[in-house]
């Protein structure tokens, strides 16, 4: 099917207010610092729709700001009809996100875990590649999540650029 953006990256979490908006902002920040943002289309969504229309969680906005990353966001739910066509890379935070995507109609194998792009975790199984949900925890959880996202996004950006330029 035509219409897939070669450098299209869709980050997916559950609520689309904590992890995936942060990942979207971090990847865009890295891409613009490397002068390649015009090659990418980056977005985020949640498999649940409870927060659709909301901004990002203030704790995600705060941790991004501590690292010089601006986070502006309006939450939305995954759209199984249009999103798989628009985005070549569908990047989930944890295994339950992938299960939810597949329940919504995404073909098995189409989504990847973000931390699979962290070179330090090469060889880890899926259980060791999750970005845990920080929603019910404290600020330290958001710091940990930021560090995981930051490292993995370096590897993801390299991967997407290689695939897009190939
Ligand atoms: P996220 O975190 O999936 O990283 O956006 C969550 C935010 C809200 C809820 C769950 C997870 N919630 O149940 O409302």
């Amino acid at each position: 099917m035509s219409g897939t953006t070669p450098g299209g990256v869709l980050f997916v979490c559950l609520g689309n207010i904590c992890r995936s908006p942060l990942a979207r902002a971090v990847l865009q920040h890295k891409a613009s610092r490397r002068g390649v943002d015009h090659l990418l289309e980056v977005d985020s969504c949640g498999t649940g729709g409870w927060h659709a229309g909301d901004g990002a969680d203030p704790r995600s906005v705060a941790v991004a700001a501590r690292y010089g990353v601006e986070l502006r966001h309006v939450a939305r739910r995954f759209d199984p009809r249009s999103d798989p066509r628009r985005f070549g890379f569908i990047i989930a935070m944890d295994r339950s996100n992938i299960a939810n995507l597949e329940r919504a109609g995404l073909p098995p194998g189409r989504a990847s875990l973000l931390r699979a792009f962290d070179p330090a975790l090469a060889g880890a199984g899926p259980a060791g590649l999750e970005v845990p949900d920080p929603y019910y925890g404290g600020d330290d959880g958001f710091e940990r999540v930021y560090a995981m996202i930051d490292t993995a996004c370096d590897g993801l950006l390299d991967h997407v650029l290689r695939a897009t330029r190939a």
Side-chain angles (χ1 to χ4, degrees), residues 13-20 50-51 133-136:
C13 61
L14 177 59
N16 192 217
I17 56 170
C18 298
R19 292 166 292 173
S20 63
W50 318 283
H51 291 283
D133 186 348
Y135 185 64
Y136 292 105

Side-chain angles (χ1 to χ4, degrees), residues 114-137:
L114 173 60
R115 296 188 82 198
F117 296 93
D118 182 338
L121 296 176
L129 295 176
E130 298 199 304
V131 179
D133 186 348
Y135 185 64
Y136 292 105

Side-chain angles (χ1 to χ4, degrees), residues 39-64:
L39 298 174
L40 306 184
E41 181 190 349
V42 190
D43 198 3
S44 72
C45 67
T47 57
W50 318 283
H51 291 283
D54 291 354
D57 188 291
R59 296 167 294 178
S60 283
V61 176
V63 74

Side-chain angles (χ1 to χ4, degrees), residues 10-29:
L10 180 65
F11 290 108
V12 184
C13 61
L14 177 59
N16 192 217
I17 56 170
C18 298
R19 292 166 292 173
S20 63
L22 195 52
R24 195 263 306 150
V26 167
L27 188 71
Q28 274 182 328
H29 183 79

Side-chain angles (χ1 to χ4, degrees), residues 9-125:
V9 179
L10 180 65
F11 290 108
V12 184
C13 61
L14 177 59
N16 192 217
I17 56 170
C18 298
R19 292 166 292 173
S20 63
L22 195 52
R24 195 263 306 150
V26 167
L27 188 71
Q28 274 182 328
H29 183 79
K30 289 180 185 295
S32 65
R33 285 181 60 164
R34 284 169 63 169
V36 294
D37 41 324
H38 60 289
L39 298 174
L40 306 184
E41 181 190 349
V42 190
D43 198 3
S44 72
C45 67
T47 57
W50 318 283
H51 291 283
D54 291 354
D57 188 291
R59 296 167 294 178
S60 283
V61 176
V63 74
R66 284 199 287 280
Y67 292 94
V69 175
E70 187 183 12
L71 177 43
R72 288 195 214 182
H73 178 66
V74 179
R76 72 168 178 92
R77 189 173 195 180
F78 175 68
D79 182 342
R81 284 167 308 162
S82 61
D83 283 329
R85 280 192 276 129
R86 276 179 65 202
F87 298 97
F89 300 92
I90 298 182
I91 308 294
M93 300 295 133
D94 64 35
R95 291 174 294 171
S96 73
N97 302 149
I98 293 183
N100 288 333
L101 286 168
E102 292 177 0
R103 260 195 291 279
L106 191 72
R110 182 69 169 74
S112 308
L113 289 170
L114 173 60
R115 296 188 82 198
F117 296 93
D118 182 338
L121 296 176

